[in-house]
């Protein structure tokens, strides 16, 4: 229910930003900036209040409630940072500064909203990781069904398509061009297969190196991933998962966001979105994978990056299934 309400809120903001962008009225743009500031100021002040009160007092006040115990200082800093980011990027001079280092257009309300929502994404990740770290994630991880995964990826597709203004600011043909969706050639698909192999090897090398450095932490993250995907245990389910995640994540990150934020910042957001790994060496591997997929999108288009991402996920799934079957045959 919380996810549904959150997505209704996000879709509402995206719709509003599109209509304001389509109107092309500077005064309306300023009102939208003010609206985003008014949304983020309470987040900032709530965070500041959490920092102002002693953590012991807050814990005592929350005793007996249904809410879980929180790391109050971490929650306070996270909310303060989220709110401050949202307020700052809603100011045109700040966006103009960011526009000097990214493709961002400081005058487009949709780009402003993308910045604000990116702060929500990063803030949510940091909040999750500071409330007990990997150990808490391992203790609270819940297996996702294939339906849960398909729903999340459908939401990603919806945000991407709505974000670029399909039927509001763009025709279907314009939307395909904006998302980088062109029909791949046979040569591009063969190149994509090569990249799938490279990414699988990169994942294996990163995992092996991490195991040598900190085997206990590597095992913990492996257990978290195993718990999260524990219900995905057939060829068909892994194929569906791979296709869905490749389509949803690539349309959102490489298709919709990369032309706004640029290669590096989009890859960083992509890494933060994979919260189940925590801030570990695997996060760096995911960041590098995001860079590779971004370069593929830039050179060959989003359809090829979808193909590579889906193929990479499917290959990892098949390796996981084979390992599980092999383990079951052991006495």
């Amino acid at each position: 229910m919380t996810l549904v309400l959150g997505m209704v809120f996000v879709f509402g903001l995206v719709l509003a930003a599109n209509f304001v962008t389509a109107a092309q009225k500077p005064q309306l743009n300023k009102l939208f900036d003010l609206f985003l500031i008014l949304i983020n100021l309470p987040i900032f002040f709530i965070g500041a209040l959490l920092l102002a009160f002693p953590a012991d007092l807050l814990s005592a006040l929350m005793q007996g409630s249904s809410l879980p115990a929180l790391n109050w200082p971490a929650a306070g800093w996270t909310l303060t940072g989220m709110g401050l980011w949202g307020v700052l990027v809603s100011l045109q001079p700040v966006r103009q500064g960011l526009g000097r280092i990214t493709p961002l257009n400081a005058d487009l309300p949709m780009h402003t909203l993308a910045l604000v929502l990116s702060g929500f994404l990063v803030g949510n990740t940091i909040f999750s990781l500071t409330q007990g770290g990997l150990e808490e994630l391992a203790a609270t991880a819940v297996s996702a069904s294939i339906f849960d995964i398909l729903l999340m990826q459908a939401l990603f597709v919806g945000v991407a398509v709505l974000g670029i203004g399909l039927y509001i600011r763009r025709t279907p043909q314009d939307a395909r061009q904006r998302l980088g969706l062109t029909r791949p050639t046979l040569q591009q698909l063969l190149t994509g297969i090569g990249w799938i192999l490279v990414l699988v090897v990169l994942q294996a090398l990163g995992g092996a190196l991490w195991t040598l450095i900190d085997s206990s932490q590597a095992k913990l993250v492996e257990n978290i991933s195993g718990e999260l995907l524990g219900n995905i245990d057939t060829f068909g389910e892994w194929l569906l998962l791979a296709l869905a995640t490749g389509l949803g994540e690539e349309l959102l990150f490489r298709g919709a966001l990369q032309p706004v934020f640029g290669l590096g910042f989009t890859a960083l957001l992509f890494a933060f979105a994979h919260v189940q790994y925590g801030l570990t060496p695997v996060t760096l591997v995911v960041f590098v994978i995001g860079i590779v997929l971004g370069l593929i999108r830039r050179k060959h288009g989003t359809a090829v990056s979808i193909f590579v991402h889906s193929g990479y996920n499917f290959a990892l799934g098949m390796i996981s299934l084979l390992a599980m079957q092999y383990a079951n045959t052991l006495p």
Side-chain angles (χ1 to χ4, degrees):
M1 186 63 180
T2 303
L3 174 63
V4 173
L5 290 176
M7 292 311 300
V8 168
F9 173 70
V10 170
F11 277 116
L13 287 177
V14 172
L15 273 173
N18 266 295
F19 283 116
V20 173
T21 300
Q24 297 183 347
K25 295 181 178 179
Q27 194 61 35
L28 202 56
N29 291 359
K30 292 178 181 179
L31 287 175
F32 188 74
D33 287 349
L34 179 61
F35 173 66
L36 291 178
I37 290 172
L38 293 176
I39 287 177
N40 283 279
L41 276 177
I43 299 174
F44 173 81
F45 285 123
I46 291 172
L49 284 173
L50 293 181
L51 292 174
F53 288 96
D56 292 343
L57 175 61
L58 292 171
S59 297
L61 291 174
M62 298 305 296
Q63 274 187 345
S65 71
S66 59
L67 296 175
L70 293 177
N71 180 339
W72 293 108
W77 283 114
T78 302
L79 291 175
T80 301
M82 286 172 60
L84 182 60
W85 169 265
V87 170
L88 288 176
V89 298
S90 297
L91 302 174
Q92 190 176 44
V94 174
R95 297 197 302 274
Q96 287 172 341
L98 292 173
R100 296 189 183 98
I101 58 175
T102 69
L104 181 78
N105 187 331
D107 297 324
L108 288 182
M110 195 62 242
H111 287 198
T112 305
L113 179 61
L115 283 171
V116 171
L117 293 180
S118 71
F120 289 174
L121 171 63
V122 173
N124 178 69
T125 297
I126 294 174
F127 184 87
S128 299
L129 294 177
T130 55
Q131 301 303 315
L134 285 175
E135 290 75 12
E136 181 65 20
L137 284 175
T140 58
V142 178
S143 296
S145 68
I146 190 66
F147 174 78
D148 295 330
I149 295 170
L150 292 178
L151 175 61
M152 178 58 70
Q153 298 308 315
L155 292 174
F156 281 1
V157 172
V159 170
V161 171
L162 188 60
I164 55 94
L166 178 64
Y167 293 120
I168 300 175
R169 296 183 292 120
R170 288 185 169 93
T171 65
Q173 182 177 353
D174 291 335
R176 286 195 297 271
Q177 183 177 1
R178 168 60 178 80
L179 290 171
L181 292 173
T182 57
R183 180 176 296 180
T185 65
L186 177 60
Q187 182 59 47
Q188 287 175 327
L189 293 178
L190 292 175
T191 302
I193 292 173
W195 277 115
I196 291 170
L197 296 175
V198 169
L199 294 183
V200 170
V201 171
L202 176 64
Q203 173 76 23
L205 291 176
L209 180 61
W210 187 20
T211 300
L212 289 175
I213 296 173
D214 191 339
S215 60
S216 60
Q217 191 183 57
K219 184 64 177 177
L220 184 60
V221 169
E222 182 182 340
N223 291 339
I224 294 172
S225 297
E227 180 62 33
L228 290 172
L229 299 176
N231 289 331
I232 313 300
D233 56 4
T234 67
F235 175 91
E237 287 177 334
W238 270 108
L239 179 60
L240 198 56
L241 178 147
L243 292 173
T245 53
L247 179 65
E249 293 182 3
E250 289 308 299
L251 280 181
L252 179 60
F253 288 100
R254 255 62 63 180
L257 292 180
Q258 185 168 303
V260 177
F261 292 148
L263 180 64
F265 188 52
T266 303
L268 188 62
L269 284 178
F270 179 68
F272 267 101
H274 292 76
V275 63
Q276 72 269 28
Y277 300 124
L279 296 178
T280 67
V282 173
T283 310
L284 179 60
V285 173
V286 175
F287 173 75
V288 173
I289 290 172
I291 291 290
V292 171
L293 290 170
L295 291 172
I296 291 171
R297 190 267 200 243
R298 182 182 290 177
K299 184 173 182 180
H300 302 294
T302 305
V304 179
S305 72
I306 291 171
F307 173 73
V308 173
H309 193 154
S310 297
Y312 164 74
N313 284 350
F314 183 65
L316 293 185
M318 291 303 95
I319 292 171
S320 175
L321 277 183
L322 290 173
M324 183 172 60
Q325 291 175 358
Y326 175 74
N328 291 337
T329 62
L330 296 177

